[in-house]
Amino acid sequence: MARVNALVITGYGTNCHEESAYALKAAGADNADIVYFSDLAAGHVRMDEYNFLLCPGGFLDGDDLGAAQAAALRWRWSTTNDGHPVLDQLKHFFDSGGIILGICNGFQLLCKLGLLPAVGDHYFERQVSLSYNDSGRFEDRWVTLKANQASPCVFTKGIEYLQAPVRHGEGKIIPMDEPTLNAIVQNNLYALQYVDPETRQPTEQYPYNPNGSPMGIAGLTDPTGRIFGLMPHPEAFNHPTNHPTWTRGRAADIPLGLAMLESGVNYLKAK
């Protein structure tokens, strides 16, 4: 089986890197290195040493600079000490078969970079954005999620329903126009949806949908299925005791959010 070497990007306010790296190792990754973006930009670390890129969440730039907008500009314009654009490394990483997961701020970053949803294979062209929750407040709650079985996403294979916490103030997906939303639906690029826990049907109703995203979309994939971004935090549900019902003995049979990371790891190991 292929070796899974994961790269977890941190810095500039990111604070979910430790639990993300822990979850990757728990999911079966052989290695999970936490690397500051500044070290990547300086050329101290190269992406071609890895095949799993995880962009975690956690108050990137203090959540004050437009839902990862500043981070996207850093990726676009940073060059290493030898003059090579960091973005070229990212392109080569993906072209070489690597997989990319963005969680919360990381999802915002992938959207701002134009890696998601990449309708029509138009990568690095921004097609969606993320805006303030309809509630007008920061949402910190557990949600129930449904995976789109028709999606090409490698991270949701074998998953039907799961639960995970959300903690964000800007999580509402805003397509650039109606044709973009239609293309996302027609091509099954919506990989994950918020659902009503009773009916298990996708919903736009608060609080089951914490931000008001259309069709209850909680996560997007690209046409290859190798790039996936979501607002909920699957890495934060890596053990039954993470769930709020565990003291009442109800969490043991609830699928862990860790299953998404395991799916990504298994995809790479099967190559």
Side-chain angles (χ1 to χ4, degrees):
M1 293 188 294
R3 181 176 175 84
V4 177
N5 290 320
L7 173 62
V8 180
I9 299 294
T10 191
Y12 299 94
T14 297
N15 62 20
C16 294
H17 49 283
E18 292 284 357
E19 61 185 330
S20 295
Y22 171 84
L24 279 166
K25 294 296 292 293
D30 298 284
N31 188 49
D33 290 340
I34 297 172
V35 173
Y36 281 86
F37 177 81
S38 55
D39 285 330
L40 185 67
H44 301 319
V45 178
R46 291 196 55 83
M47 293 183 66
D48 56 15
E49 300 172 5
Y50 302 91
N51 53 6
F52 192 139
L53 172 64
L54 196 155
C55 298
F59 296 99
L60 183 62
D61 291 301
D63 269 354
D64 292 326
L65 299 178
Q69 173 65 11
L73 292 176
R74 278 196 293 272
W75 276 88
R76 285 186 179 276
W77 299 113
S78 294
T79 57
T80 58
N81 291 339
D82 56 5
H84 291 93
V86 173
L87 205 61
D88 285 354
Q89 286 193 52
L90 182 57
K91 292 175 181 176
H92 182 263
F93 173 88
F94 181 63
D95 290 342
S96 299
I99 63 175
I100 303 173
L101 174 62
I103 301 170
C104 198
N105 287 149
F107 177 32
Q108 296 168 346
L109 173 61
L110 297 183
C111 290
K112 293 296 174 71
L113 279 174
L115 285 173
L116 289 174
V119 169
D121 293 327
H122 295 299
Y123 291 88
F124 296 99
E125 295 181 14
R126 190 180 302 180
Q127 298 173 334
V128 304
S129 189
L130 289 113
S131 188
Y132 297 106
N133 302 338
D134 280 356
S135 65
R137 53 177 280 180
F138 184 88
E139 295 293 336
D140 184 358
R141 64 178 70 250
W142 281 72
V143 294
T144 303
L145 303 162
K146 177 183 180 181
N148 176 9
Q149 301 302 303
S151 168
C153 183
V154 303
F155 294 92
T156 56
K157 294 299 181 187
I159 297 173
E160 188 172 5
Y161 295 96
L162 75 163
Q163 295 181 10
V166 296
R167 41 196 190 223
H168 61 255
E170 296 176 77
K172 182 176 182 178
I173 295 172
I174 307 292
M176 291 304 178
D177 49 37
E178 194 67 26
T180 298
L181 178 59
N182 292 338
I184 289 171
V185 174
Q186 291 166 6
N187 292 283
N188 287 297
L189 300 182
Y190 64 99
L192 202 65
Q193 293 171 288
Y194 301 107
V195 299
D196 183 315
E198 296 297 327
T199 66
R200 293 204 163 188
Q201 293 302 308
T203 183
E204 296 181 8
Q205 180 183 352
Y206 181 84
Y208 308 128
N209 178 334
N211 50 53
S213 286
M215 295 179 52
I217 297 174
L220 296 171
T221 190
D222 76 311
T224 72
R226 292 189 289 116
I227 305 177
F228 176 46
L230 71 164
M231 287 309 302
H233 287 260
E235 84 288 359
F237 188 16
N238 55 66
H239 190 273
T241 56
N242 298 143
H243 197 276
T245 65
W246 80 272
T247 56
R248 298 189 291 276
R250 300 175 186 172
D253 297 326
I254 299 175
L256 299 176
L258 199 65
M260 289 185 172
L261 282 75
E262 289 174 341
S263 292
V265 167
N266 291 339
Y267 167 81
L268 290 173
K269 288 194 171 185
K271 290 181 65 177

